[in-house]
Amino acid sequence: MTDVPTRSTTDVEVRYAETDQMGVVHHSRYLVWFELARTQLCREAGHPYDEIEKQGLWLMVSGAHLSYRDGARYGDRVQVECRVSRAASRALHFDYRVLRGEQLLVSGRTEHIWVDAETKTTTRAPAELLALFREMAAAERD
């Protein structure tokens, strides 16, 4: 195995605009934070998302699942952890945890499919990316 990161952690300071009338982060904002963590993980693995797109590929979201345990609030500093949980030739899953210190606030998963940007049809991941993401997923299971 090479020395690839198996997960990333992204720090987020909760902004007032991300909260609802109750002062709690609106549920939709967690998906934005997931995207921040996911793109950071790709960048740290040596494949920034914009470089993947330059290859004519999109990593389209096909599903999102979130479980809320507690809400982040304005001014909180939270950490968003991201890891690859499944890597197949046409699909990729990322798992997330949003923590305030040691407290788990939200857990979730996004499911993605590889899409050819020109034809807008599903496609197989390039061998190099598939091998990388499979290695990342396998390392997390060990």
Side-chain angles (χ1 to χ4, degrees):
M1 290 183 104
T2 60
D3 194 22
V4 298
T6 60
R7 65 177 57 210
S8 70
T9 301
T10 303
D11 293 322
V12 175
E13 182 176 351
V14 178
R15 295 164 292 239
Y16 186 79
E18 295 173 314
T19 62
D20 60 19
Q21 188 174 4
M22 296 177 289
V24 177
V25 170
H26 190 268
H27 64 273
S28 65
R29 302 311 298 170
Y30 292 101
L31 288 170
V32 174
W33 295 354
F34 287 5
E35 181 182 348
L36 288 171
R38 182 173 64 249
T39 56
Q40 179 174 321
L41 179 59
C42 289
R43 186 173 46 256
E44 290 175 358
H47 291 277
Y49 193 76
D50 61 333
E51 293 296 323
I52 293 171
E53 286 188 338
K54 287 177 185 173
Q55 295 179 40
L57 297 168
W58 292 338
L59 200 48
M60 185 180 294
V61 176
S62 59
H65 310 276
L66 294 88
S67 291
Y68 304 96
R69 296 178 182 230
D70 200 358
R73 290 171 173 68
Y74 171 66
D76 282 351
R77 292 183 184 273
V78 299
Q79 298 73 43
V80 184
E81 294 180 351
C82 176
R83 68 180 185 88
V84 177
S85 57
R86 178 175 182 252
S89 64
R90 294 182 184 268
L92 193 56
H93 295 181
F94 294 90
D95 286 352
Y96 308 88
R97 295 185 337 140
V98 179
L99 300 137
R100 181 176 48 225
E102 298 295 317
Q103 182 184 14
L104 178 63
L105 302 177
V106 175
S107 59
R109 166 175 291 163
T110 55
E111 300 162 357
H112 304 258
I113 55 173
W114 291 100
V115 173
D116 181 295
E118 185 176 329
T119 65
K120 315 286 190 288
T121 59
T122 60
T123 190
R124 293 182 182 278
E128 177 186 6
L129 288 175
L130 181 57
L132 171 72
F133 287 120
R134 280 186 171 163
E135 182 177 340
M136 293 167 76
E140 280 294 315
R141 286 190 295 271
D142 292 343

